[in-house]
Amino acid sequence: MVLTRADDFPVHQTPEPIACAGTDRNFYDRYFFNGYAPANEKGDGSGFFALAFGVYPQLDVADAHFSFVRGDKQYSLHASAEMNRERLSLKVGPIAIEIIEPLHQLRVTIDESEGIAGEFTFTARAAPIEEPRFMHRVGARAFMDYTRMTQNGHYTGWISVDGERQDMAEGTCGTRDRSWGVRPVGSRDPQPIPGHMMPAFFWQWTPLNLEGGSLFFHINADENGNPWNTRAAWAADGAGIEDIVEGRGTLDSTLAHGTRWPTGGELALDLPHAGERAPARLTLEPVARFQMKGLGYTHPVWGHGVHHGPLKVEREDYDLASLDPAQLDNRHVQMLCKVDGDAQGMGVFEQLVLGAYRPLGLEGI
C-alpha cells in the first residue's frame, strides 16, 4: 500500500491506508455546488452556476466540472487528472476547492482556462442535513450504496467568460452537497444484469432557499412510483444538526411535451414539530433550465471517473434552445424555479428519468 498526506489525520475507516477505499472499484467521494441570483434580482437563471468535483480512489482518478448559464448559452469546463492516490489534493487542473470551515464555509477557485475563470465562497445558512442512506440493488447487483449531506447557503464571488467578468449579486444563494460511497463510475460495465436489461431510474430533488430557512425534498422511486428512498426536511436559519426537522413530502409534477423535463410542480409537505415558519404547500415555477451533462452527469465523454490520462482540460458551450430533449445525455436537468405558496424564494427542481415511469406515462426508453 501507499502512504499519503491523509494518513496523518485521524480519519481512517479501515485497517488500510486512506489511499484505499474498501474493495469496490465504484467507490467515489464528491462535492457539488449550485448557485443563483435571489428572487428580487432578475430571477431568470442568467447567472445560474454549478460545480462537481469527484475523487475515485480505486480508479486513481479525480475530475472536476464547472458550468454556468448566461442568456441562452451554457458554458462548461471539464478537467480530469490522475490523482496519484492523494485524496487531500482538492485540485484538478484549473479547478480547486478549499475547506475554510468544515460544514460551514468553502471556497472554489477556477484559474483562467479556455476563457473561463472564477472564484466564489459558500457560507451555510444552517447545519447540513443527512439524507437516508441510499442503498439500491438492481437484481443481484448493488447499484448504489452511499451517504449524502446537503445544505443551503449564500455565495460571494465572480465568474468570467472570454474576458467578461460578472460579480455575483448580493444575496446570491444555492445549495452544496457531499456524497460518498458506491455509484456506477468510470467505464461502463458491459456485463448485463439478468432480468434487468434496461433498469428504470426515477429521481427528483428540490433544495429550496426560502424566507427564514431551507426546505429539502427528494425521492427515488421504481417504475411504478413506489419510493425506495425519500425524505423532506426543514432547516431554519442558524439551525444546528439537532434542530433540523424531518418528515415526508409528495411532489406532483408534469412534463414538457415530448420531453422528460419538468414544467413545474406542487410540493405538499408533512413536517411535524417544525413550527409555523415551515411551509406545508409550495408551488415550483421553472424560469431556466440547466443541463447536468455540463457537470459530467450522463455525459458520453466526460462521465464521472473516466480516465483521460495524466491531465486533460476541455471547454464545451451549449445552445440550450437547440438541444434534443430525447437524447440520453440531455435528460438530466436542474430547473431553476421561483417558489410560491406558504413561503417564497428560489430553488432547484432536479429530475432524471431513465426507462419507464408509469405515474408520468413514460414507457421504455
Side-chain angles (χ1 to χ4, degrees):
M1 297 298 103
V2 175
L3 294 176
T4 65
R5 288 176 292 167
D7 287 301
D8 223 6
F9 293 83
V11 294
H12 294 84
Q13 300 293 305
T14 74
E16 297 180 295
I18 287 292
C20 301
T23 57
D24 196 312
R25 55 92 66 192
N26 284 333
F27 189 89
Y28 79 99
D29 212 329
R30 181 171 299 143
Y31 296 80
F32 172 88
F33 300 83
N34 71 19
Y36 40 85
N40 60 355
E41 292 291 326
K42 287 183 179 180
D44 62 359
S46 60
F48 189 97
F49 64 92
L51 180 136
F53 189 112
V55 172
Y56 315 94
Q58 304 294 66
L59 305 178
D60 208 18
V61 167
D63 54 31
H65 313 262
F66 176 60
S67 194
F68 61 99
V69 175
R70 283 193 181 169
D72 58 359
K73 292 287 183 67
Q74 182 172 325
Y75 302 90
S76 301
L77 186 66
H78 307 287
S80 174
E82 294 172 352
M83 58 183 282
N84 299 315
R85 299 196 179 188
E86 280 291 359
R87 295 177 65 180
L88 287 187
S89 179
L90 297 181
K91 181 175 175 61
V92 178
I95 301 174
I97 295 175
E98 177 188 358
I99 302 167
I100 300 171
E101 182 181 344
L103 304 184
H104 183 68
Q105 191 172 71
L106 298 90
R107 179 179 295 119
V108 173
T109 304
I110 304 100
D111 296 331
E112 197 283 327
S113 183
E114 305 289 326
I116 293 175
E119 182 179 299
F120 51 87
T121 299
F122 171 93
T123 303
R125 296 181 66 177
I129 69 163
E130 179 183 342
E131 296 170 354
R133 183 169 173 173
F134 290 79
M135 175 62 192
H136 187 56
R137 294 184 180 274
V138 176
R141 191 175 305 176
F143 177 63
M144 289 181 169
D145 185 8
Y146 69 92
T147 292
R148 187 167 72 169
M149 68 179 188
T150 305
Q151 69 186 150
N152 284 353
H154 295 288
Y155 288 97
T156 57
W158 57 272
I159 296 169
S160 175
V161 57
D162 297 330
E164 182 182 346
R165 172 170 164 155
Q166 180 175 316
D167 293 328
M168 294 179 184
E170 184 178 353
T172 293
C173 55
T175 301
R176 75 111 179 178
D177 73 42
R178 285 276 293 112
S179 65
W180 58 91
V182 174
R183 283 188 194 175
V185 296
S187 300
R188 293 182 179 179
D189 188 346
Q191 177 73 24
I193 304 173
H196 298 271
M197 301 300 288
M198 191 180 298
F201 183 79
F202 178 80
W203 165 250
Q204 289 179 328
W205 184 50
T206 63
L208 308 177
N209 277 283
L210 306 177
E211 299 168 343
S214 302
L215 190 284
F216 307 92
F217 168 79
H218 76 270
I219 179 172
N220 266 134
D222 65 19
E223 59 267 33
N224 294 313
N226 301 311
W228 57 265
N229 193 304
T230 184
R231 182 174 291 175
W234 168 258
D237 284 345
I241 292 176
E242 68 283 358
D243 302 315
I244 293 170
V245 178
E246 298 181 350
R248 308 285 290 184
T250 57
L251 179 57
D252 292 329
S253 62
T254 54
L255 301 177
H257 180 70
T259 80
R260 297 190 175 206
W261 298 338
T263 58
E266 297 288 335
L267 183 56
L269 302 157
D270 181 14
L271 295 163
H273 314 301
E276 295 181 359
R277 287 188 296 173
R281 188 166 295 274
L282 296 169
T283 299
L284 310 180
E285 177 190 352
V287 296
R289 187 182 80 249
F290 178 84
Q291 298 292 151
M292 291 293 282
K293 70 178 181 181
L295 301 179
Y297 293 86
T298 70
H299 197 293
V301 176
W302 284 98
H304 297 152
V306 175
H307 182 242
H308 291 277
L311 175 65
K312 184 176 180 180
V313 179
E314 185 174 88
R315 171 175 166 173
E316 280 189 305
D317 297 348
Y318 310 130
D319 181 352
L320 291 170
S322 66
L323 294 180
D324 179 2
Q327 193 169 303
L328 179 62
D329 56 316
N330 291 332
R331 296 183 185 181
H332 192 181
V333 295
Q334 286 193 349
M335 310 297 289
L336 179 63
C337 295
K338 290 184 177 180
V339 183
D340 207 344
D342 291 344
Q344 287 73 48
M346 297 286 288
V348 160
F349 182 171
E350 180 179 329
Q351 183 164 288
L352 173 62
V353 189
L354 301 176
Y357 190 68
R358 296 183 181 93
L360 290 176
L362 298 174
E363 295 288 345
I365 296 177

